[in-house]
């Protein structure tokens, strides 16, 4: 196993471009992410946020540019220079991906407990008792009622499904978690609990996260840093509170001044 | 090695203006060419009328605002970090360990109990939960926040109670550098006295402080020096 320097970047993105035909979805995106950092990607719909997230998480090969990830197995490597098999293994062992719609990230026909245990099984755990114990532990950590562990996710509320999806994506101890609008479909009272939960989990596990959101409030409370995207370009990049309180770019100024106050 | 004659904050030639891109790129100048050194055990009070840029200067020191010129160096692990140019992870590390900021308003995740909010800065610095809880309870007690409120989120608290939660979140740790924006504005006389005592204790420990206090009584009790921001008013 290659030794990964703990103070180096976990993810390093260099001049990433992605085109859909003549249309630029992401243009010249570069940034670094370290362990323990939460990066928010904000911008209106169609600005290229999700395309960028799909490129970073290995689902979509960028037209040009590099996505270097400090993998436990390979060291700092361009994930698109690896074989499909190696890339999938990194995704399975070292990443998590939380979808906006929990139905896209869960298996609706098996129990909640099996949903949480499955990533461990895919990474080689075979001991049923161990998996059961860890699943119960994670049910409690994301504040799900452990008595519901054998119920299917379709009997869970939207907020419970999202917490189940988070448990499923953290149980195998990833170093990097991608989240696409993780609080998107939830009512605000559930959102607040989920935000706190995600922050505590990131802090306690020392992992890094990249969160795509169009909700400036969510970005402010969750992200350390922000990338602001517009029409495929990163128009601003900096500390979250600096970008939101003293935006430098016209588009960010418009975005921030358009947030409804309550 | 930490040298005692090295300032905790060194501001050199700092300038700030705002460019409003959606209003015909209007430029609002605030201040120019501000230089200031603050040493351990000093409390510098920013003076000047409203709108002169006191809060803007304080926010620029915290890297909440991005200055247009000059530098703000903070002594962090005995080395100067220019907060206006440092990479984000370093700025966050300076804020986590070296520089605390009491803002005018409390801005936190909704529905989190007060006690957990006050424990948070300690947990982020690796203090174990039991000790963090004890220290959070101690500071909340000192600030006269009734223990019946500790398990409640502060959203429904009065202005003065929220402000004390805000102060507790910062004073629960001993930051070498403290920035304070009107920390006593919505407090009654007794609570104001408590906060003044906490600030003076921190200063006696060697904390370097920069603050804005409109209340003259408070200002006289805590200031070791005044800094007139109006003298650096930038020409429009």
């Amino acid at each position: 196993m290659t030794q990964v320097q703990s103070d180096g970047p976990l993810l390093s993105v260099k001049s990433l471009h992605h085109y859909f035909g003549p249309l630029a979805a992401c243009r010249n995106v570069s940034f670094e992410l370290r362990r323990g950092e939460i990066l928010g990607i904000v911008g209106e719909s169609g600005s290229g946020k999700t395309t960028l997230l799909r490129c970073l998480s290995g689902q979509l090969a960028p037209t040009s540019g590099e996505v270097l990830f400090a993998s436990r197995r390979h060291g700092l490597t361009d994930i698109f220079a690896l074989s499909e098999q190696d890339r999938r293994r990194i995704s399975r062992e070292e990443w998590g991906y939380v979808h906006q719609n929990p139905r896209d990230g869960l298996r609706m026909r098996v129990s909640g407990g099996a949903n949480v245990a499955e990533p461990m099984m895919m990474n080689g755990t075979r001991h049923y008792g161990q998996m059961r114990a860890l699943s119960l532990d994670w049910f409690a950590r994301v504040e799900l009622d452990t008595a519901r562990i054998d119920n299917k996710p379709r009997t869970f509320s939207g907020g419970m499904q999202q917490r189940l999806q988070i448990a499923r994506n953290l149980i195998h101890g990833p170093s990097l978690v991608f989240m696409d609008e993780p609080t998107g479909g939830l009512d605000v009272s559930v959102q607040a609990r989920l935000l706190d939960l995600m922050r505590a989990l990131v802090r306690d596990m020392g992992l890094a996260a990249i969160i795509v959101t169009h909700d400036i409030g969510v970005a402010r409370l969750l992200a350390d840093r922000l990338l602001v995207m517009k029409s495929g370009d990163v128009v601003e990049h900096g500390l979250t509170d600096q970008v939101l309180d003293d935006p430098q770019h016209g588009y960010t100024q418009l975005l921030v001044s358009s947030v409804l106050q309550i | 090695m930490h040298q005692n004659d090295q300032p905790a904050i060194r501001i050199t030639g700092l300038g700030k203006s705002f460019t409003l891109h959606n209003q015909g790129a209007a430029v609002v100048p605030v201040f120019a060419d501000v230089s200031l050194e603050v040493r351990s055990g000093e409390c510098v009070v920013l003076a000047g009328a409203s709108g002169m840029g006191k809060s803007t200067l304080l926010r620029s020191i915290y890297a909440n605002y991005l200055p247009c010129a000059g530098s703000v160096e903070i002594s962090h692990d005995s080395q100067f970090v220019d907060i206006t140019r440092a990479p984000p992870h370093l700025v966050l590390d300076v804020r986590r360990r070296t520089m605390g900021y009491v803002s005018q308003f409390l801005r936190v995740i909704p529905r989190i109990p007060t006690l957990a909010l006050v424990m948070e800065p300690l947990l982020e610095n690796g203090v174990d939960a039991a000790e963090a809880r004890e220290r959070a309870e101690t500071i909340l007690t000192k600030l006269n926040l009734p223990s019946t409120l500790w398990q409640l989120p502060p959203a429904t608290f009065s202005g003065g109670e929220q402000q004390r939660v805000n102060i507790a979140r910062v004073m629960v740790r001993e930051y070498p550098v403290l920035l304070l924006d009107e920390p006593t504005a919505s407090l009654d006389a007794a609570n104001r006295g408590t906060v003044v005592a906490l600030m003076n204790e921190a200063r006696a420990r060697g904390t370097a402080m920069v603050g804005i206090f409109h209340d003259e009584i408070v200002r006289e009790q805590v200031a070791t020096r005044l800094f007139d921001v109006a003298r650096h008013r930038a020409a429009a």
Side-chain angles (χ1 to χ4, degrees), chain B residues 45-59:
Chain B
V45 171
L46 303 181
S50 273
M52 286 294 133
K54 302 187 295 294
S55 286
T56 300
L57 177 55
L58 206 62
R59 284 165 174 252

Side-chain angles (χ1 to χ4, degrees), chain B:
Chain B
M1 196 193 77
H2 191 76
Q3 282 193 299
N4 280 335
D5 56 343
Q6 176 179 301
I9 306 173
R10 186 166 71 193
I11 302 171
T12 315
L14 199 71
K16 175 65 183 164
S17 61
F18 294 97
T19 306
L20 310 174
H21 292 287
N22 299 302
Q23 277 143 53
V27 176
V28 182
V30 186
F31 53 74
D33 203 24
V34 169
S35 295
L36 170 68
E37 287 190 353
V38 185
R39 281 157 206 284
S40 169
E42 268 196 302
C43 178
V44 175
V45 171
L46 303 181
S50 273
M52 286 294 133
K54 302 187 295 294
S55 286
T56 300
L57 177 55
L58 206 62
R59 284 165 174 252
S60 300
I61 300 173
Y62 196 60
N64 178 226
Y65 283 177
L66 193 68
C68 311
S71 61
V72 176
E73 293 165 294
I74 306 294
S75 174
H76 179 62
D77 292 337
S78 303
Q79 292 205 322
F80 273 132
V81 172
D82 180 357
I83 206 94
T84 64
R85 284 171 189 82
H89 68 92
L90 188 54
V91 176
L92 291 171
D93 191 53
V94 169
R95 288 180 180 181
R96 183 161 49 238
R97 297 194 287 125
T98 298
M99 181 162 57
Y101 175 66
V102 180
S103 56
Q104 272 175 290
F105 304 102
L106 184 64
R107 193 182 246 154
V108 291
I109 296 187
R111 300 184 65 188
I112 312 300
T114 296
L115 190 65
L117 289 173
V118 178
M119 286 167 64
E120 195 179 27
L122 296 172
L123 298 177
E124 279 173 0
N125 277 283
V127 176
D128 73 60
E131 189 194 331
R133 189 190 178 92
E134 202 178 300
R135 283 167 63 182
E137 288 177 353
T138 306
I139 190 78
L140 286 169
T141 307
K142 264 193 193 168
L143 285 161
N144 303 317
L145 204 82
S147 59
T148 46
L149 297 181
W150 294 357
Q151 292 307 325
L152 303 176
T156 56
F157 292 5
S158 74
E161 286 163 348
Q162 288 197 10
Q163 184 59 311
R164 278 178 281 154
V165 175
N166 213 1
I167 294 166
R169 260 167 75 82
V170 175
M171 291 293 198
V172 73
R173 282 197 77 238
E174 297 181 358
Y175 293 94
V177 174
L178 273 185
L179 309 176
L180 309 123
D181 194 348
E182 293 271 23
T184 57
S186 43
L187 301 184
D188 60 35
N191 285 312
R192 208 161 51 214
T194 310
V195 174
V196 167
L198 278 174
M199 283 191 286
N200 284 332
E201 278 169 32
R203 198 166 50 75
R205 276 197 308 267
T207 305
M209 289 189 273
V210 181
I212 300 169
F213 306 95
H214 281 296
D215 187 331
E216 284 199 18
I217 304 167
V218 173
R219 191 187 297 182
E220 272 169 28
Q221 285 171 326
V222 298
T224 55
R225 174 152 76 94
L226 292 184
F227 182 79
D228 188 3
V229 182
R231 279 200 2 241
H232 300 271
R233 186 93 188 126

Side-chain angles (χ1 to χ4, degrees), chain A residues 117-128:
Chain A
E118 194 179 44
M120 284 189 289
M121 220 155 69
M122 290 195 304
N123 285 321
T125 309
R126 289 289 176 268
H127 190 283
Y128 176 80

Side-chain angles (χ1 to χ4, degrees), chain A residues 17-28 51 62-64:
Chain A
H17 294 254
H18 190 77
Y19 292 90
F20 292 114
L23 182 82
C26 301
R27 225 178 341 229
N28 202 19
T51 301
T63 310
S64 65

